[in-house]
Amino acid sequence: MTLEEAREFFAQDRYATKATGIVIDEIGDRYSKVSLQLQDHHKAAGDHVMGGVFYTIGDFSFAVATNTPDSLTVTTNGNISYYSQPKDDKLIAECICMKEGKRFCFYESTIKDGLGNLVAKISFNGAHI
C-alpha cells in the first residue's frame, strides 16, 4: 500500500483522523510513523496533554502498521507507559513490529514530542481477523 492509499483508507478512521487530527507521515512493511499537531482541545483540566491523546496516537500508529484493506488486525492488549509531557506542540508516534505470527502480532509504538523527547511507549498485541 502506498502512502496515499493508506491516507485514503484510514480517512475512514473518523476518530483518529478527523476528531483528533492525526496524520500519516510514513508507512512501510510492518511500520508506520504518524503525527499530531497538539491543540487546546487535546488538553486536560490541568492544562497538560490528556493521557488518552498519547494512547490514541499510539493505537493509530499500530493500526496503520498492521492493517490493509485486505487484512485487518484488532488490538487485543495495549500497555502504555508515560514518561513525560511534550516540550512542544507536536507528537510523533513510530510503530514497529516486534514479532509477527500467523494469528497474533506484537508491536511497539514509541511516542516522542517534536523535539525528539520520549513521552510514552505502548506495547500492543493484536489478532488478525
PDB file of all heavy atoms in Angstrom, residues 1-3 26-33 61-62 64-68 95-98 100 107:
ATOM      1  N   MET A   1       0.854  -1.167   0.000  1.00  0.00           N
ATOM      2  CA  MET A   1       0.000   0.000   0.000  1.00  0.00           C
ATOM      3  C   MET A   1       0.908   1.240   0.000  1.00  0.00           C
ATOM      4  O   MET A   1       1.860   1.313   0.771  1.00  0.00           O
ATOM      5  CB  MET A   1      -0.912  -0.041   1.242  1.00  0.00           C
ATOM      6  CG  MET A   1      -1.905   1.055   1.311  1.00  0.00           C
ATOM      7  SD  MET A   1      -3.326   0.878   2.456  1.00  0.00           S
ATOM      8  CE  MET A   1      -2.676   0.153   3.913  1.00  0.00           C
ATOM      9  N   THR A   2       0.586   2.196  -0.849  1.00  0.00           N
ATOM     10  CA  THR A   2       1.355   3.440  -0.900  1.00  0.00           C
ATOM     11  C   THR A   2       0.893   4.369   0.217  1.00  0.00           C
ATOM     12  O   THR A   2      -0.153   4.147   0.835  1.00  0.00           O
ATOM     13  CB  THR A   2       1.168   4.154  -2.252  1.00  0.00           C
ATOM     14  OG1 THR A   2      -0.202   4.619  -2.328  1.00  0.00           O
ATOM     15  CG2 THR A   2       1.491   3.244  -3.425  1.00  0.00           C
ATOM     16  N   LEU A   3       1.658   5.425   0.430  1.00  0.00           N
ATOM     17  CA  LEU A   3       1.299   6.402   1.452  1.00  0.00           C
ATOM     18  C   LEU A   3      -0.064   7.028   1.149  1.00  0.00           C
ATOM     19  O   LEU A   3      -0.908   7.168   2.038  1.00  0.00           O
ATOM     20  CB  LEU A   3       2.389   7.481   1.559  1.00  0.00           C
ATOM     21  CG  LEU A   3       2.163   8.566   2.592  1.00  0.00           C
ATOM     22  CD1 LEU A   3       2.030   7.981   3.991  1.00  0.00           C
ATOM     23  CD2 LEU A   3       3.307   9.574   2.544  1.00  0.00           C
ATOM     24  N   GLU A  26       4.526   8.331   7.318  1.00  0.00           N
ATOM     25  CA  GLU A  26       5.295   7.294   6.616  1.00  0.00           C
ATOM     26  C   GLU A  26       4.657   5.936   6.868  1.00  0.00           C
ATOM     27  O   GLU A  26       4.086   5.710   7.931  1.00  0.00           O
ATOM     28  CB  GLU A  26       6.730   7.215   7.142  1.00  0.00           C
ATOM     29  CG  GLU A  26       7.572   8.429   6.916  1.00  0.00           C
ATOM     30  CD  GLU A  26       8.963   8.295   7.546  1.00  0.00           C
ATOM     31  OE1 GLU A  26       9.464   7.149   7.672  1.00  0.00           O
ATOM     32  OE2 GLU A  26       9.529   9.336   7.913  1.00  0.00           O
ATOM     33  N   ILE A  27       4.790   5.053   5.882  1.00  0.00           N
ATOM     34  CA  ILE A  27       4.402   3.657   6.068  1.00  0.00           C
ATOM     35  C   ILE A  27       5.480   2.781   5.470  1.00  0.00           C
ATOM     36  O   ILE A  27       6.255   3.219   4.605  1.00  0.00           O
ATOM     37  CB  ILE A  27       3.028   3.318   5.434  1.00  0.00           C
ATOM     38  CG1 ILE A  27       3.055   3.551   3.922  1.00  0.00           C
ATOM     39  CG2 ILE A  27       1.913   4.100   6.084  1.00  0.00           C
ATOM     40  CD1 ILE A  27       1.908   2.894   3.200  1.00  0.00           C
ATOM     41  N   GLY A  28       5.538   1.566   5.945  1.00  0.00           N
ATOM     42  CA  GLY A  28       6.467   0.585   5.411  1.00  0.00           C
ATOM     43  C   GLY A  28       5.977  -0.788   5.772  1.00  0.00           C
ATOM     44  O   GLY A  28       4.875  -0.953   6.307  1.00  0.00           O
ATOM     45  N   ASP A  29       6.794  -1.795   5.505  1.00  0.00           N
ATOM     46  CA  ASP A  29       6.433  -3.159   5.849  1.00  0.00           C
ATOM     47  C   ASP A  29       6.405  -3.290   7.369  1.00  0.00           C
ATOM     48  O   ASP A  29       7.444  -3.188   8.029  1.00  0.00           O
ATOM     49  CB  ASP A  29       7.442  -4.136   5.243  1.00  0.00           C
ATOM     50  CG  ASP A  29       7.085  -5.577   5.500  1.00  0.00           C
ATOM     51  OD1 ASP A  29       5.882  -5.892   5.585  1.00  0.00           O
ATOM     52  OD2 ASP A  29       8.015  -6.392   5.646  1.00  0.00           O
ATOM     53  N   ARG A  30       5.196  -3.448   7.928  1.00  0.00           N
ATOM     54  CA  ARG A  30       5.004  -3.577   9.377  1.00  0.00           C
ATOM     55  C   ARG A  30       5.560  -2.382  10.149  1.00  0.00           C
ATOM     56  O   ARG A  30       6.111  -2.516  11.233  1.00  0.00           O
ATOM     57  CB  ARG A  30       5.611  -4.877   9.883  1.00  0.00           C
ATOM     58  CG  ARG A  30       5.013  -6.095   9.238  1.00  0.00           C
ATOM     59  CD  ARG A  30       5.678  -7.360   9.709  1.00  0.00           C
ATOM     60  NE  ARG A  30       5.126  -8.473   8.959  1.00  0.00           N
ATOM     61  CZ  ARG A  30       5.810  -9.557   8.662  1.00  0.00           C
ATOM     62  NH1 ARG A  30       7.048  -9.694   9.064  1.00  0.00           N
ATOM     63  NH2 ARG A  30       5.255 -10.529   7.993  1.00  0.00           N
ATOM     64  N   TYR A  31       5.387  -1.207   9.593  1.00  0.00           N
ATOM     65  CA  TYR A  31       5.935   0.027  10.184  1.00  0.00           C
ATOM     66  C   TYR A  31       5.021   1.194   9.840  1.00  0.00           C
ATOM     67  O   TYR A  31       4.440   1.255   8.752  1.00  0.00           O
ATOM     68  CB  TYR A  31       7.331   0.295   9.619  1.00  0.00           C
ATOM     69  CG  TYR A  31       7.839   1.693   9.920  1.00  0.00           C
ATOM     70  CD1 TYR A  31       8.417   1.996  11.143  1.00  0.00           C
ATOM     71  CD2 TYR A  31       7.711   2.719   8.982  1.00  0.00           C
ATOM     72  CE1 TYR A  31       8.863   3.270  11.432  1.00  0.00           C
ATOM     73  CE2 TYR A  31       8.159   4.004   9.263  1.00  0.00           C
ATOM     74  CZ  TYR A  31       8.735   4.268  10.487  1.00  0.00           C
ATOM     75  OH  TYR A  31       9.175   5.540  10.768  1.00  0.00           O
ATOM     76  N   SER A  32       4.928   2.154  10.764  1.00  0.00           N
ATOM     77  CA  SER A  32       4.253   3.413  10.460  1.00  0.00           C
ATOM     78  C   SER A  32       4.831   4.538  11.310  1.00  0.00           C
ATOM     79  O   SER A  32       5.402   4.306  12.383  1.00  0.00           O
ATOM     80  CB  SER A  32       2.747   3.318  10.716  1.00  0.00           C
ATOM     81  OG  SER A  32       2.484   3.341  12.102  1.00  0.00           O
ATOM     82  N   LYS A  33       4.669   5.728  10.798  1.00  0.00           N
ATOM     83  CA  LYS A  33       5.010   6.944  11.532  1.00  0.00           C
ATOM     84  C   LYS A  33       3.853   7.907  11.312  1.00  0.00           C
ATOM     85  O   LYS A  33       3.484   8.211  10.174  1.00  0.00           O
ATOM     86  CB  LYS A  33       6.312   7.539  11.008  1.00  0.00           C
ATOM     87  CG  LYS A  33       6.769   8.770  11.758  1.00  0.00           C
ATOM     88  CD  LYS A  33       8.115   9.233  11.207  1.00  0.00           C
ATOM     89  CE  LYS A  33       8.664  10.416  11.941  1.00  0.00           C
ATOM     90  NZ  LYS A  33       9.965  10.832  11.357  1.00  0.00           N
ATOM     91  N   SER A  61      -1.052   4.485  15.248  1.00  0.00           N
ATOM     92  CA  SER A  61       0.183   4.047  14.584  1.00  0.00           C
ATOM     93  C   SER A  61       0.198   2.527  14.449  1.00  0.00           C
ATOM     94  O   SER A  61       0.661   1.984  13.440  1.00  0.00           O
ATOM     95  CB  SER A  61       1.424   4.551  15.336  1.00  0.00           C
ATOM     96  OG  SER A  61       1.623   3.881  16.557  1.00  0.00           O
ATOM     97  N   PHE A  62      -0.315   1.820  15.459  1.00  0.00           N
ATOM     98  CA  PHE A  62      -0.434   0.360  15.390  1.00  0.00           C
ATOM     99  C   PHE A  62      -1.387  -0.051  14.272  1.00  0.00           C
ATOM    100  O   PHE A  62      -1.094  -0.951  13.479  1.00  0.00           O
ATOM    101  CB  PHE A  62      -0.904  -0.172  16.747  1.00  0.00           C
ATOM    102  CG  PHE A  62      -1.197  -1.645  16.770  1.00  0.00           C
ATOM    103  CD1 PHE A  62      -0.196  -2.581  16.544  1.00  0.00           C
ATOM    104  CD2 PHE A  62      -2.475  -2.097  17.047  1.00  0.00           C
ATOM    105  CE1 PHE A  62      -0.472  -3.947  16.587  1.00  0.00           C
ATOM    106  CE2 PHE A  62      -2.759  -3.453  17.097  1.00  0.00           C
ATOM    107  CZ  PHE A  62      -1.753  -4.381  16.865  1.00  0.00           C
ATOM    108  N   VAL A  64      -2.161   1.593  11.551  1.00  0.00           N
ATOM    109  CA  VAL A  64      -1.566   1.867  10.237  1.00  0.00           C
ATOM    110  C   VAL A  64      -0.476   0.843   9.904  1.00  0.00           C
ATOM    111  O   VAL A  64      -0.348   0.412   8.757  1.00  0.00           O
ATOM    112  CB  VAL A  64      -1.020   3.310  10.176  1.00  0.00           C
ATOM    113  CG1 VAL A  64      -0.261   3.567   8.875  1.00  0.00           C
ATOM    114  CG2 VAL A  64      -2.166   4.319  10.329  1.00  0.00           C
ATOM    115  N   ALA A  65       0.284   0.429  10.900  1.00  0.00           N
ATOM    116  CA  ALA A  65       1.358  -0.544  10.669  1.00  0.00           C
ATOM    117  C   ALA A  65       0.829  -1.942  10.376  1.00  0.00           C
ATOM    118  O   ALA A  65       1.513  -2.728   9.720  1.00  0.00           O
ATOM    119  CB  ALA A  65       2.302  -0.582  11.875  1.00  0.00           C
ATOM    120  N   THR A  66      -0.376  -2.263  10.850  1.00  0.00           N
ATOM    121  CA  THR A  66      -0.856  -3.645  10.764  1.00  0.00           C
ATOM    122  C   THR A  66      -2.037  -3.874   9.839  1.00  0.00           C
ATOM    123  O   THR A  66      -2.321  -5.016   9.495  1.00  0.00           O
ATOM    124  CB  THR A  66      -1.260  -4.171  12.153  1.00  0.00           C
ATOM    125  OG1 THR A  66      -2.306  -3.352  12.680  1.00  0.00           O
ATOM    126  CG2 THR A  66      -0.087  -4.189  13.105  1.00  0.00           C
ATOM    127  N   ASN A  67      -2.740  -2.839   9.430  1.00  0.00           N
ATOM    128  CA  ASN A  67      -3.958  -3.031   8.647  1.00  0.00           C
ATOM    129  C   ASN A  67      -3.799  -2.630   7.192  1.00  0.00           C
ATOM    130  O   ASN A  67      -3.110  -1.656   6.879  1.00  0.00           O
ATOM    131  CB  ASN A  67      -5.111  -2.213   9.249  1.00  0.00           C
ATOM    132  CG  ASN A  67      -5.625  -2.817  10.522  1.00  0.00           C
ATOM    133  OD1 ASN A  67      -6.190  -3.893  10.527  1.00  0.00           O
ATOM    134  ND2 ASN A  67      -5.404  -2.112  11.622  1.00  0.00           N
ATOM    135  N   THR A  68      -4.480  -3.384   6.341  1.00  0.00           N
ATOM    136  CA  THR A  68      -4.626  -3.038   4.930  1.00  0.00           C
ATOM    137  C   THR A  68      -6.091  -3.282   4.571  1.00  0.00           C
ATOM    138  O   THR A  68      -6.810  -3.917   5.351  1.00  0.00           O
ATOM    139  CB  THR A  68      -3.727  -3.913   4.026  1.00  0.00           C
ATOM    140  OG1 THR A  68      -4.244  -5.249   4.032  1.00  0.00           O
ATOM    141  CG2 THR A  68      -2.274  -3.889   4.464  1.00  0.00           C
ATOM    142  N   CYS A  95       5.661   3.104  15.005  1.00  0.00           N
ATOM    143  CA  CYS A  95       5.272   1.763  15.398  1.00  0.00           C
ATOM    144  C   CYS A  95       6.062   0.740  14.594  1.00  0.00           C
ATOM    145  O   CYS A  95       6.129   0.836  13.361  1.00  0.00           O
ATOM    146  CB  CYS A  95       3.776   1.566  15.175  1.00  0.00           C
ATOM    147  SG  CYS A  95       3.137   0.052  15.921  1.00  0.00           S
ATOM    148  N   ILE A  96       6.670  -0.216  15.313  1.00  0.00           N
ATOM    149  CA  ILE A  96       7.449  -1.255  14.658  1.00  0.00           C
ATOM    150  C   ILE A  96       6.982  -2.631  15.132  1.00  0.00           C
ATOM    151  O   ILE A  96       6.471  -2.784  16.241  1.00  0.00           O
ATOM    152  CB  ILE A  96       8.964  -1.109  14.921  1.00  0.00           C
ATOM    153  CG1 ILE A  96       9.269  -1.181  16.414  1.00  0.00           C
ATOM    154  CG2 ILE A  96       9.503   0.178  14.320  1.00  0.00           C
ATOM    155  CD1 ILE A  96      10.740  -1.309  16.737  1.00  0.00           C
ATOM    156  N   CYS A  97       7.189  -3.612  14.274  1.00  0.00           N
ATOM    157  CA  CYS A  97       6.842  -4.987  14.587  1.00  0.00           C
ATOM    158  C   CYS A  97       7.923  -5.609  15.447  1.00  0.00           C
ATOM    159  O   CYS A  97       9.107  -5.549  15.121  1.00  0.00           O
ATOM    160  CB  CYS A  97       6.682  -5.779  13.288  1.00  0.00           C
ATOM    161  SG  CYS A  97       6.273  -7.498  13.537  1.00  0.00           S
ATOM    162  N   MET A  98       7.518  -6.214  16.546  1.00  0.00           N
ATOM    163  CA  MET A  98       8.436  -6.954  17.401  1.00  0.00           C
ATOM    164  C   MET A  98       8.415  -8.441  17.035  1.00  0.00           C
ATOM    165  O   MET A  98       9.437  -9.098  17.040  1.00  0.00           O
ATOM    166  CB  MET A  98       8.059  -6.774  18.874  1.00  0.00           C
ATOM    167  CG  MET A  98       7.976  -5.309  19.318  1.00  0.00           C
ATOM    168  SD  MET A  98       9.463  -4.356  18.997  1.00  0.00           S
ATOM    169  CE  MET A  98      10.536  -4.986  20.249  1.00  0.00           C
ATOM    170  N   GLU A 100       5.753 -11.117  14.451  1.00  0.00           N
ATOM    171  CA  GLU A 100       4.546 -11.325  13.650  1.00  0.00           C
ATOM    172  C   GLU A 100       4.272 -12.817  13.569  1.00  0.00           C
ATOM    173  O   GLU A 100       5.142 -13.588  13.166  1.00  0.00           O
ATOM    174  CB  GLU A 100       4.741 -10.758  12.247  1.00  0.00           C
ATOM    175  CG  GLU A 100       3.523 -10.827  11.367  1.00  0.00           C
ATOM    176  CD  GLU A 100       2.446  -9.834  11.754  1.00  0.00           C
ATOM    177  OE1 GLU A 100       2.773  -8.681  12.067  1.00  0.00           O
ATOM    178  OE2 GLU A 100       1.273 -10.232  11.757  1.00  0.00           O
ATOM    179  N   TYR A 107       3.643  -5.505  18.625  1.00  0.00           N
ATOM    180  CA  TYR A 107       4.232  -4.273  18.113  1.00  0.00           C
ATOM    181  C   TYR A 107       4.565  -3.337  19.268  1.00  0.00           C
ATOM    182  O   TYR A 107       4.014  -3.466  20.358  1.00  0.00           O
ATOM    183  CB  TYR A 107       3.254  -3.571  17.168  1.00  0.00           C
ATOM    184  CG  TYR A 107       3.204  -4.161  15.787  1.00  0.00           C
ATOM    185  CD1 TYR A 107       2.640  -5.409  15.546  1.00  0.00           C
ATOM    186  CD2 TYR A 107       3.720  -3.477  14.695  1.00  0.00           C
ATOM    187  CE1 TYR A 107       2.594  -5.956  14.285  1.00  0.00           C
ATOM    188  CE2 TYR A 107       3.670  -4.002  13.425  1.00  0.00           C
ATOM    189  CZ  TYR A 107       3.111  -5.246  13.221  1.00  0.00           C
ATOM    190  OH  TYR A 107       3.074  -5.775  11.961  1.00  0.00           O
TER     191      TYR A 107
END
